[in-house]
Amino acid sequence: MSRVRSVLPIALSCLGVVLIAAGILGGELPMILRKAIFICLECIGIG
Amino acid sequence: MVRRIIQALTALLYNIHLKGFITGRIYQGSLKKVCVPGLNCYSCPGAVGSCPIGSLQSSINAVKYKVSLYVAGLLILFGSILGRFICGWACPFGLVQEVLHKIPSPKLRKKPVFGVLKYGKYVILAVFVLLLPALYSLQKGVTIPAFCKYICPAGTLEAGIPLIALNESLRYTIGWLFYWKMLLLTAMVLSAVFIYRPFCRFVCPLGAIYAMFNSTAIFGLKVDSAKCTHCGICTGACKVDIHPFETPNDPECVRCGDCIKACPHSALKFSSVYTGTPCTSRNVTQSK
């Protein structure tokens, strides 16, 4: 197994976890929630 | 059969707020902070999670050079672990297309034009998910989810149709945009009867993101080069027109497993990169 092939998925997963943590700590969750709890008029085709 | 059950359960789990389909009101609880891995409109009356593509677009703010790290992180995490397993096993709109493809009809496969159309999803990702929301936010200060607004047939099917059917007030606001999206949905539904998962292969920006991870994801498809005779039966069975024995982790592979079932030598299997020798086109070639 090549070293890169074995390390890359773990490295990417760790990067994902770090970004998720950074986003949560940066206060992004309320923004995601705000968009998701109201009907998205664009999504349903009338916005 | 197992995959079909998982697809159905996933679709149900994403949309477990069943009361919404009766009341016409969407779920507003805190679970919507979490993005689901598949394409599932957050305005679907049953949706209990957020759509990653919708959330990504709405988070883009070019004025502040911002994009949601949280959503980007989730996409990288899902992609690096599962790649396009998510498309094949955990996407409700993929399930809809597969069911439509079961309708008896002539099936269009291995057309040269598909080799060009497959790049469409990357163009849509770049233009409608990233560029247009960024440009709009630069000009107006707020962003628009351009993909959701102008293209996404999943939003029309899962949210537009049920919400408009259940809310009289929304019916009066229908305009050209709704009819345009209905036209796109109709085109997608009809083409899915003849072509296997046309939206996933040619249009879906989420599929494009996961496709970029397919060759590096932890879980993927593996060829046992000792068993593979290069008979090509797997290529014949593949509905997305790839050559599983040569490129088992092709970006187009949605991990449906049809090649595994078709292989008479049991040379293909789903596997993790950490179990046994990883399969590459190189070691398959070496075994010839």
Side-chain angles (χ1 to χ4, degrees), chain B residues 204-222:
Chain B
C204 182
L206 189 58
I209 293 171
Y210 291 143
M212 291 188 261
F213 288 96
N214 234 19
S215 60
T216 55
I218 291 176
F219 293 99
L221 189 63
K222 187 173 153 186

Side-chain angles (χ1 to χ4, degrees), chain B residues 3-24:
Chain B
R3 186 171 72 92
R4 198 71 77 224
I5 291 168
I6 291 176
Q7 282 179 301
L9 285 176
T10 309
L12 180 66
L13 198 65
Y14 289 176
N15 299 292
I16 199 72
H17 181 246
L18 300 176
K19 196 171 75 174
F21 291 105
I22 298 163
T23 60

Side-chain angles (χ1 to χ4, degrees), chain A residues 41-45 47, chain B residues 57 124 127-128 132-133 136 144-153 156 176-178 180-185 203:
Chain A
L41 296 179
E42 292 94 347
C43 303
I44 65 173
Chain B
Q57 291 169 91
I124 286 170
V127 175
F128 285 87
L132 286 179
Y136 199 85
I144 53 155
F147 172 74
C148 302
K149 183 170 183 174
Y150 299 113
I151 297 177
C152 187
T156 315
W176 69 270
L177 190 59
F178 183 77
W180 163 249
K181 290 194 69 183
M182 281 300 292
L183 185 70
L184 284 182
L185 174 63
V203 181

Side-chain angles (χ1 to χ4, degrees), chain B:
Chain B
M1 187 63 183
V2 173
R3 186 171 72 92
R4 198 71 77 224
I5 291 168
I6 291 176
Q7 282 179 301
L9 285 176
T10 309
L12 180 66
L13 198 65
Y14 289 176
N15 299 292
I16 199 72
H17 181 246
L18 300 176
K19 196 171 75 174
F21 291 105
I22 298 163
T23 60
R25 298 171 74 91
I26 66 170
Y27 170 76
Q28 296 186 308
S30 58
L31 271 178
K32 275 207 168 163
K33 288 175 184 169
V34 180
C35 293
V36 296
L39 194 78
N40 193 73
C41 186
Y42 42 29
S43 286
C44 173
V48 291
S50 286
C51 170
I53 289 295
S55 300
L56 185 66
Q57 291 169 91
S58 59
S59 76
I60 290 173
N61 188 329
V63 179
K64 296 178 182 169
Y65 302 103
K66 255 189 103 176
V67 64
S68 171
L69 298 178
Y70 168 72
V71 180
L74 277 174
L75 290 172
I76 292 172
L77 184 65
F78 292 145
S80 62
I81 296 174
L82 294 166
R84 293 198 82 178
F85 266 109
I86 294 162
C87 304
W89 294 67
C91 183
F93 201 62
L95 173 63
V96 169
Q97 291 171 87
E98 287 191 9
V99 171
L100 287 166
H101 198 66
K102 293 273 182 200
I103 296 172
S105 68
K107 305 300 178 193
L108 300 177
R109 287 183 59 191
K110 302 193 191 302
K111 301 288 177 193
V113 71
F114 293 170
V116 178
L117 289 177
K118 71 181 182 186
Y119 296 108
K121 59 182 175 290
Y122 301 103
V123 175
I124 286 170
L125 171 66
V127 175
F128 285 87
V129 177
L130 302 173
L131 190 63
L132 286 179
L135 288 177
Y136 199 85
S137 71
L138 268 181
Q139 200 176 28
K140 306 271 184 185
V142 287
T143 186
I144 53 155
F147 172 74
C148 302
K149 183 170 183 174
Y150 299 113
I151 297 177
C152 187
T156 315
L157 179 70
E158 296 167 2
I161 293 173
L163 284 178
I164 283 167
L166 293 165
N167 293 284
E168 202 177 344
S169 56
L170 286 177
R171 256 172 262 157
Y172 296 114
T173 57
I174 288 176
W176 69 270
L177 190 59
F178 183 77
Y179 295 117
W180 163 249
K181 290 194 69 183
M182 281 300 292
L183 185 70
L184 284 182
L185 174 63
T186 308
M188 206 50 71
V189 164
L190 286 177
S191 58
V193 175
F194 304 101
I195 304 167
Y196 182 71
R197 299 179 72 138
F199 176 78
C200 312
R201 293 165 67 188
F202 312 136
V203 181
C204 182
L206 189 58
I209 293 171
Y210 291 143
M212 291 188 261
F213 288 96
N214 234 19
S215 60
T216 55
I218 291 176
F219 293 99
L221 189 63
K222 187 173 153 186
V223 182
D224 186 335
S225 49
K227 290 181 182 172
C228 181
T229 61
H230 310 99
C231 62
I233 290 175
C234 55
T235 301
C238 179
K239 295 197 191 87
V240 292
D241 305 338
I242 63 167
H243 304 285
F245 71 97
E246 286 179 338
T247 51
N249 295 313
D250 189 288
E252 296 306 306
C253 177
V254 292
R255 312 306 193 196
C256 68
D258 284 354
C259 56
I260 296 175
K261 284 183 220 155
C263 180
H265 311 291
S266 306
L268 290 154
K269 65 175 181 178
F270 290 135
S271 176
S272 114
V273 71
Y274 302 111
T275 51
T277 311
C279 176
T280 60
S281 52
R282 200 173 157 192
N283 64 23
V284 169
T285 312
Q286 283 169 346
S287 74
K288 283 181 186 175

